[in-house]
Amino acid sequence: MEIKEIVKEKYGEAARRVAGGVGNACCGGAASLEGMCDPITANLYEASQTELIPEMALKASLGCGNPTALASLQPGETVLDLGSGGGIDVLLSARRVGPTGKAYGLDMTDDMLALARQNQRAGGVANAEFLRGEIEHIPLPDNSVDVVISNCVINLSGDKDQVLREAFRVLKPGGRFAVSDVVVRGEVPAAVRHSMELWIGCLAGALADSEYTQKLAAAGFEGISIEPTRVYEVEDARTFLSNQGLDADDIAQQIAGKFIGAFIRATRPGHAAI
Ligand SMILES: C[S@@+](CC[C@H](N)C(=O)[O-])C[C@H]1O[C@@H](n2cnc3c(N)ncnc32)[C@H](O)[C@@H]1O
């Protein structure tokens, strides 16, 4: 409960900052340090995508990847975005699946939902809907979604197994899990890991790549792959780490190449009904 309340407060504040025109949402624990979130959230979207959505949706972007570019969405499909924030990936997905398809966003933070709905109206997107709820308890029926996307949210959940089971439940047989998230590769000392997670903005903790694979398999998924999309460098986190009492030079080797933005794919077994 406590994690959820902290997450809600933090992202509610980020949404109000954007809605109030004060600036970008910035990311996670780095929000108070000017510019520190850039290596994570900056330049994720191509100009061909950003010109399709309202400016405020882009300003509210808090992801660490671009799942709509990497997931192969087809016209007529139903897409669900777990932790949809200001709605950027929902609005882009809605365009990709077209008027015969539908894009749902799910978020538990009221101010984010309000911002997403405002962006939907500004963008004139009819085939999208933002739902209030938790990614651990998805308010959609079994076998109702073709593609589950998410952008830097599953790492925030205190019960990732439950999130993956829920994603599996709502996917149709043959449905795809296509998620951007922060992942840790290899061993990192707990204190260093905690500081890096604070910097990236992951309160409950990023999964190791092997854990992610195991948890997806335990939920029933197959065809699992984890592809690095961005590697976070010690240089980017130097000021933050020194404010945390850590010497970036000392721990550079322990961090190098280990914290990554990744694109995670998996499939629910079975054949899609025609
Ligand atoms: C890092 S932001 C990412 C937002 C969006 N995906 C993007 O790329 O801009 C995390 C979002 O997930 C939502 N969130 C975090 N944990 C959640 C949970 N357990 N259930 C529902 N929403 C959650 C937060 O309210 C916030 O809007």
Side-chain angles (χ1 to χ4, degrees):
M1 255 339 269
E2 205 196 323
I3 291 174
K4 282 200 179 126
E5 290 314 310
I6 297 170
V7 167
K8 266 188 201 169
E9 199 180 305
K10 187 166 97 164
Y11 289 105
E13 191 194 307
R16 289 191 293 278
R17 237 180 4 249
V18 174
V22 180
N24 291 349
C26 204
C27 51
S32 56
L33 290 170
E34 279 303 316
M36 286 305 286
C37 61
D38 278 356
I40 297 146
T41 52
N43 306 321
L44 296 173
Y45 297 89
E46 302 281 328
S48 60
Q49 290 185 297
T50 56
E51 65 199 16
L52 295 174
I53 48 159
E55 194 191 344
M56 227 189 261
L58 185 63
K59 280 194 170 163
S61 165
L62 282 162
C64 52
N66 185 346
T68 55
L70 297 167
S72 55
L73 306 180
Q74 305 300 328
E77 287 192 320
T78 300
V79 180
L80 166 65
D81 182 13
L82 301 179
S84 43
I88 185 165
D89 295 317
V90 174
L91 302 182
L92 289 170
S93 300
R95 295 208 180 266
R96 294 271 300 282
V97 298
T100 58
K102 174 128 189 188
Y104 288 103
L106 173 62
D107 208 288
M108 66 179 182
T109 305
D110 288 329
D111 288 300
M112 274 295 181
L113 286 165
L115 181 60
R117 290 176 182 138
Q118 189 181 331
N119 288 332
Q120 179 185 4
R121 282 192 297 276
V125 178
N127 60 331
E129 185 176 344
F130 290 94
L131 308 172
R132 183 180 197 276
E134 298 178 352
I135 62 175
E136 294 83 1
H137 309 280
I138 300 174
L140 286 175
D142 299 356
N143 309 335
S144 57
V145 170
D146 295 290
V147 187
V148 167
I149 63 168
S150 183
N151 199 347
C152 227
V153 179
I154 295 177
N155 64 61
L156 295 167
S157 173
D159 192 349
K160 297 168 175 70
D161 292 304
Q162 169 75 7
V163 174
L164 300 180
R165 280 195 296 272
E166 277 291 272
F168 186 91
R169 179 185 66 75
V170 298
L171 277 172
K172 299 174 187 174
R176 287 108 65 205
F177 179 90
V179 164
S180 293
D181 212 347
V182 174
V183 171
V184 185
R185 294 190 291 195
E187 291 296 310
V188 183
V192 175
R193 179 172 173 147
H194 182 63
S195 294
M196 280 300 281
E197 284 172 349
L198 282 180
W199 174 66
I200 294 166
C202 314
L203 285 173
L207 289 176
D209 48 1
S210 55
E211 286 175 302
Y212 224 125
T213 305
Q214 279 162 15
K215 286 179 186 298
L216 281 164
F221 285 99
E222 61 181 22
I224 301 162
S225 67
I226 299 183
E227 176 194 334
T229 49
R230 193 169 277 193
V231 179
Y232 305 128
E233 303 295 344
V234 72
E235 277 317 309
D236 298 326
R238 184 174 285 278
T239 312
F240 185 82
L241 292 172
S242 66
N243 287 345
Q244 297 274 305
L246 293 168
D247 182 336
D249 292 323
D250 273 359
I251 58 172
Q253 284 313 312
Q254 296 164 33
I255 294 177
K258 291 193 171 160
F259 291 86
I260 60 168
F263 188 59
I264 299 129
R265 292 176 208 267
T267 308
R268 177 173 170 160
H271 292 290
I274 299 175

